[in-house]
Amino acid sequence: MPQTTPETMQTTLSDHCLLNVSGVDASKLLQGQLTADVQALLPGQGQLAAHCQAQGRVISLFLLFRTNDGFILCLPQRMETIATTALRKYAVFYKTDIKPIRDYVVTAYAQTPRAAEAVATAVLPNGTTYLLTQTPHANTTDTLANYYHHLVTHQIPCIFPETSGEFLPHDLNLLTLGAVSLNKGCYTGQEIIARMEYKATLKKQCYTATVNEAVNINDDVFPQGKSRAVGRIINVATLDNKTYTVLMLLDHTALNSPLTTTQQTPYHLLTENERSHD
């Protein structure tokens, strides 16, 4: 099983794309669309952010960096078309431009590195650090498999086409990860997200588990011997040919019985699981 430690994880996100949002109205556009307080970001800063439907469900999730010239969004390559199309629906009302950019790279670290050459830096609450640079940082030798294993074990979700529009920010632990502002004012989906925070009783939470069978994003999770699903797979990381780590969204009642895949292979919850919402 690959070992990813705080001292060794340095991974250039070669399977991600970068979108440049520029123009005089770039900040105004993103402030009205994203869950993050975009206008509070200074050049050189970054954070996790989401773009949601009016119903509050996450269309895309990405790292948001502010530069001297605008904003750069980093997200999985397979999400480029979905994210761009969703933002351009609103961009037509602003003096702004959204296009892919190839001049930068993003590197992930399990601890904050010393890198004065970074154009912008995003540090998640759990200590995972992302650097936006114009060249890959030195010694970025870990594999993407180790990177996704790190995300899953630290309950940091990714959104892919299979799950775009499926989950609320609360489902994905995005408030704990600092991706949602509750006091920035209106943005698309804000009413639903605020209602979930202040009035709803959260019935689901994220858990990390391992399974000795290939599983897929958006697969259902079942109690042993039952046909009614109690959860879904958010992300999957391959450890080796027979062991996988998964991030799953489960109903609170699901922990009362063993959990299985459609083939009745058991999931093994990791002991360090924490509640998504304290």
Side-chain angles (χ1 to χ4, degrees):
M1 178 182 299
Q3 297 296 316
T4 303
T5 68
E7 294 74 30
T8 62
M9 195 197 77
Q10 303 176 26
T11 307
T12 298
L13 305 187
S14 58
D15 66 336
H16 282 49
C17 69
L18 300 177
L19 299 178
N20 186 35
V21 184
S22 59
V24 296
D25 289 339
S27 176
K28 187 183 297 184
L29 165 68
L30 296 180
Q31 183 75 354
Q33 292 304 313
L34 305 189
T35 57
D37 190 348
V38 175
Q39 294 179 350
L41 281 179
L42 299 176
Q45 294 180 336
Q47 68 169 92
L48 201 63
H51 186 208
C52 297
Q53 302 169 337
Q55 298 81 8
R57 297 189 178 274
V58 177
I59 300 169
S60 58
L61 177 65
F62 41 79
L63 292 161
L64 171 68
F65 297 97
R66 186 162 195 169
T67 69
N68 291 326
D69 301 318
F71 300 87
I72 293 178
L73 283 56
C74 175
L75 68 167
Q77 183 71 52
R78 293 197 291 133
M79 286 296 298
E80 179 178 341
T81 299
I82 292 174
T84 304
T85 300
L87 285 171
R88 281 179 176 164
K89 287 173 56 179
Y90 302 93
V92 295
F93 303 106
Y94 297 88
K95 295 178 181 179
T96 188
D97 186 35
I98 303 171
K99 62 183 179 181
I101 190 169
R102 315 283 181 204
D103 300 337
Y104 298 93
V105 295
V106 173
T107 305
Y109 299 82
Q111 62 180 9
T112 303
R114 295 180 180 177
E117 74 275 15
V119 175
T121 303
V123 182
L124 271 58
N126 70 355
T128 304
T129 298
Y130 296 88
L131 297 186
L132 176 71
T133 60
Q134 292 189 303
T135 57
H137 197 244
N139 301 320
T140 54
T141 56
D142 266 11
T143 66
L144 285 168
N146 277 357
Y147 168 69
Y148 282 109
H149 173 58
H150 172 85
L151 293 189
V152 168
T153 54
H154 288 80
Q155 298 185 354
I156 305 172
C158 293
I159 289 292
F160 295 99
E162 299 94 322
T163 50
S164 178
E166 293 291 324
F167 302 116
L168 295 167
H170 285 81
D171 294 335
L172 301 176
N173 204 22
L174 295 189
L175 281 82
T176 301
L177 291 170
V180 178
S181 172
L182 295 171
N183 54 23
K184 63 172 262 186
C186 294
Y187 57 92
T188 301
Q190 180 264 342
E191 182 178 354
I192 303 299
I193 295 168
R195 188 181 306 163
M196 287 295 298
E197 177 67 14
Y198 297 117
K199 295 184 178 181
T201 299
L202 302 180
K203 298 180 180 180
K204 298 177 181 179
Q205 63 191 67
C206 290
Y207 286 93
T208 303
T210 61
V211 61
N212 295 323
E213 175 187 291
V215 291
N216 300 305
I217 294 171
N218 224 18
D219 277 358
D220 286 327
V221 178
F222 300 90
Q224 190 172 39
K226 305 291 185 180
S227 59
R228 179 180 173 275
V230 293
R232 276 197 289 171
I233 301 299
I234 297 173
N235 293 140
V236 179
T238 303
L239 293 181
D240 51 43
N241 292 331
K242 62 180 181 179
T243 305
Y244 305 81
T245 53
V246 300
L247 181 62
M248 57 175 67
L249 180 67
L250 297 177
D251 188 283
H252 287 172
T253 62
L255 300 181
N256 295 332
S257 64
L259 303 169
T260 65
T261 68
T262 53
Q263 288 78 30
Q264 299 297 305
T265 302
Y267 289 104
H268 304 283
L269 292 177
L270 301 185
T271 57
E272 62 265 28
N273 276 300
E274 298 179 356
R275 293 181 61 84
S276 295
H277 317 293
D278 297 324

